[in-house]
Amino acid sequence: MTIDIYSLIAYVFNCAVCTTIGIIFLLTPNKRDEQGKIGSYCKTRLCLAASALIEGLASLLYAVRIVNQVPHLALDHFTGPLFMYFSICIDMTAIIYLLHGKQPKLRTSILFVSPVLLVWLIHILLFIPDYGFTFSAKAYNEFITTTPSLITCYALYTVFIIEFFYILKSVNQQIIRFKEHIDNYCSGTSRSQSHWLIAVVISMVTYYIIDIVNMCISDPTWDSIVLWLLSLIVIVNSIAFIICRNIYWNISPAFDTDKIPLQRAITAEDPYPEAEIQAQVAKVRRYYERGIPYYAISQIEKNDETDTQQPKSDPNSIDNIVNEWTRRDDKPYLKESITITQVAEEMGLNARLLSNYINNVKGRNFNSWINYLKVQETKVVLLADRTLPLSDIAYRMGFADLASMSRIFKQMEGMPPSVYRQRN
């Protein structure tokens, strides 16, 4: 029997990649808060380090078997899935930390892994009476084909499948919760960048799905190809995790329960202020006839402002404060990236109070409310100057690009901005 050199190289490379990344993540200094506690980003990194080292150890076991010319894919029956199970559990913890989720209690975690630990213990106890305390690969390959061993293998598969689907469900819930917090905290670029963290999570789940399929097929050629793919995913995912560090810290205030509560997005629509839109369009057109561009209107109005306005009743009420902010000449909601903390500071309100107001009174989350204000302003500009390119409008209205403006506009108005301009 000759050594499968292609499989050996693939496993050695995977072992080297996982071990190197695991050691780098493990030895990177941990950032601590004022109370001396390790931050959740560092905890995520430590979890990723642990899972990478486990994957590296598993690849090392496969490589040793190849060198000893022992069928290595026999490990796919029990040992491989066992190592993968523990990696998945650790990475699930990493995902919870990465998405600012709530960690399960210690008792729940112990109950979760207990079935697999019990199956593992039974598997070992069934091996010892016939083969003793040996690490012989040939002895284990012989044992793995026996009926008692097959029973423990099927028991492991059953628990693995049930818990893996539970983990997938939990990951989906974490992503939904993460999006809800982000939508209630920021809009524009900051919100778009937060999707990179979700992409990291999805790549982690994809990694394990591919690995599970690979173990089920258990073909040497396919195994080598998939192993190279998995190594590439590990490298890319690790780089993405490092790059996302600043994004992680920027959105962390969204999960401060003392500032931003968890609120579900409400689908109720704000009343469509058609009369107000038409009035704004008429005003902008009058300025255009005088040769004054749109971006200069607010400054002119500010300079022409008089003190003859009637004072509003109860100027300190939240309604009036919010309305004053939305009617400001500089139109602060047109910024490309804005957070609820920034808006609350400008209004002189508590961020939590403002978040509750937007959710309960406006019937929207923060991101949807900001987009709504941008769309209303966009409608004014679309009709006021029909020669103005849509790309220029997207830039002036604070959208990331034309595609982003078209998508958000269509979501709220049921048609893209170009069609809205044609119909009105």
Side-chain angles (χ1 to χ4, degrees):
M1 184 177 179
T2 58
I3 296 178
D4 185 352
I5 190 65
Y6 297 106
S7 295
L8 178 60
I9 294 175
Y11 276 106
V12 170
F13 180 76
N14 183 264
C15 177
V17 167
C18 293
T19 304
T20 302
I21 291 175
I23 292 175
I24 292 175
F25 280 3
L26 191 63
L27 297 181
T28 302
N30 295 319
K31 182 179 179 180
R32 298 178 181 271
D33 57 19
E34 297 177 353
Q35 300 177 348
K37 296 181 179 180
I38 299 177
S40 55
Y41 180 84
C42 295
K43 291 179 180 178
T44 303
R45 178 168 43 76
L46 293 175
C47 289
L48 293 178
S51 65
L53 291 174
I54 290 177
E55 288 293 312
L57 178 59
S59 294
L60 178 62
L61 292 178
Y62 280 87
V64 169
R65 279 175 164 259
I66 295 174
V67 172
N68 293 329
Q69 299 184 20
V70 178
H72 62 284
L73 292 182
L75 291 176
D76 287 349
H77 293 292
F78 190 89
T79 307
L82 183 67
F83 274 78
M84 188 194 301
Y85 172 82
F86 289 121
S87 294
I88 290 175
C89 289
I90 296 174
D91 275 341
M92 177 61 193
T93 304
I95 289 173
I96 294 175
Y97 281 127
L98 186 64
L99 298 183
H100 296 271
K102 184 179 181 180
Q103 290 290 341
K105 296 181 179 179
L106 179 61
R107 180 180 177 182
T108 303
S109 300
I110 293 175
L111 291 175
F112 188 79
V113 300
S114 293
V116 171
L117 293 176
L118 180 61
V119 172
W120 187 19
L121 178 61
I122 294 174
H123 189 76
I124 294 174
L125 294 177
L126 290 174
F127 175 81
I128 294 175
D130 293 331
Y131 301 94
F133 295 93
T134 178
F135 292 98
S136 171
K138 293 182 179 179
Y140 185 76
N141 279 8
E142 182 181 336
F143 166 72
I144 206 70
T145 60
T146 62
T147 301
S149 175
L150 291 175
I151 293 175
T152 56
C153 288
Y154 289 131
L156 176 64
Y157 302 156
T158 302
V159 176
F160 186 99
I161 292 172
I162 293 174
E163 294 195 357
F164 184 71
F165 277 106
Y166 173 80
I167 288 174
L168 289 179
K169 179 182 177 182
S170 299
V171 170
N172 182 59
Q173 292 174 343
Q174 291 291 339
I175 292 176
I176 293 174
R177 177 183 177 277
F178 177 81
K179 289 182 176 180
E180 289 172 353
H181 275 84
I182 294 300
D183 285 344
N184 269 304
Y185 175 72
C186 59
S187 181
T189 304
S190 298
R191 179 177 176 272
S192 300
Q193 290 178 342
S194 68
H195 293 166
W196 281 101
L197 296 177
I198 298 178
V200 171
V201 171
I202 293 175
S203 69
M204 292 167 65
V205 174
T206 303
Y207 173 91
Y208 287 113
I209 292 177
I210 294 174
D211 203 5
I212 291 173
V213 173
N214 180 40
M215 285 190 176
C216 293
I217 296 176
S218 196
D219 176 74
T221 304
W222 172 260
D223 183 66
S224 299
I225 296 174
V226 170
L227 206 57
W228 285 104
L229 175 61
L230 294 178
S231 299
L232 180 62
I233 293 176
V234 171
I235 295 173
V236 172
N237 201 41
S238 300
I239 295 174
F241 172 74
I242 296 173
I243 294 175
C244 288
R245 179 179 58 183
N246 291 334
I247 297 175
Y248 179 90
W249 293 119
N250 290 338
I251 65 172
S252 292
F255 302 88
D256 187 345
T257 54
D258 292 333
K259 294 181 179 180
I260 308 296
L262 176 60
Q263 296 283 353
R264 289 191 175 274
I266 304 175
T267 57
E269 294 294 328
D270 288 333
Y272 180 70
E274 184 63 34
E276 182 178 345
I277 292 293
Q278 296 301 329
Q280 289 289 330
V281 170
K283 181 184 70 173
V284 173
R285 279 177 174 168
R286 287 196 298 270
Y287 279 103
Y288 271 119
E289 291 173 357
R290 294 163 54 190
I292 300 173
Y294 172 79
Y295 59 84
I297 294 177
S298 59
Q299 185 62 40
I300 292 175
E301 288 185 337
K302 185 176 181 180
N303 295 337
D304 293 343
E305 193 178 41
T306 62
D307 297 328
T308 58
Q309 295 177 334
Q310 294 293 329
K312 295 185 178 181
S313 60
D314 193 11
N316 294 323
S317 70
I318 297 181
D319 278 322
N320 287 332
I321 292 174
V322 173
N323 289 335
E324 283 293 332
W325 184 83
T326 59
R327 293 171 182 169
R328 275 170 45 179
D329 294 333
D330 59 345
K331 296 178 173 46
Y333 49 84
L334 296 184
K335 295 178 182 178
E336 183 177 346
S337 181
I338 190 170
T339 68
I340 195 170
T341 303
Q342 296 169 344
V343 175
E345 289 177 355
E346 292 179 5
M347 293 182 181
L349 298 174
N350 176 271
R352 181 173 183 173
L353 178 64
L354 178 60
S355 178
N356 281 329
Y357 172 85
I358 294 172
N359 277 268
N360 298 325
V361 177
K362 299 298 183 180
R364 301 174 181 274
N365 57 48
F366 176 75
N367 175 64
S368 179
W369 180 61
I370 291 296
N371 286 336
Y372 171 80
L373 295 175
K374 289 183 177 180
V375 168
Q376 301 311 304
E377 192 67 25
T378 301
K379 287 155 64 175
V380 173
V381 180
L382 283 171
L383 302 183
D385 184 1
R386 296 178 180 272
T387 62
L388 192 63
L390 294 179
S391 56
D392 289 352
I393 296 177
Y395 174 76
R396 295 181 183 181
M397 297 299 105
F399 292 103
D401 48 40
L402 176 57
S404 177
M405 183 185 76
S406 298
R407 175 176 53 81
I408 295 172
F409 193 99
K410 186 175 182 180
Q411 287 177 350
M412 294 193 172
E413 300 300 325
M415 66 185 78
S418 57
V419 176
Y420 178 84
R421 174 182 267 175
Q422 294 172 358
R423 295 183 178 180
N424 292 274

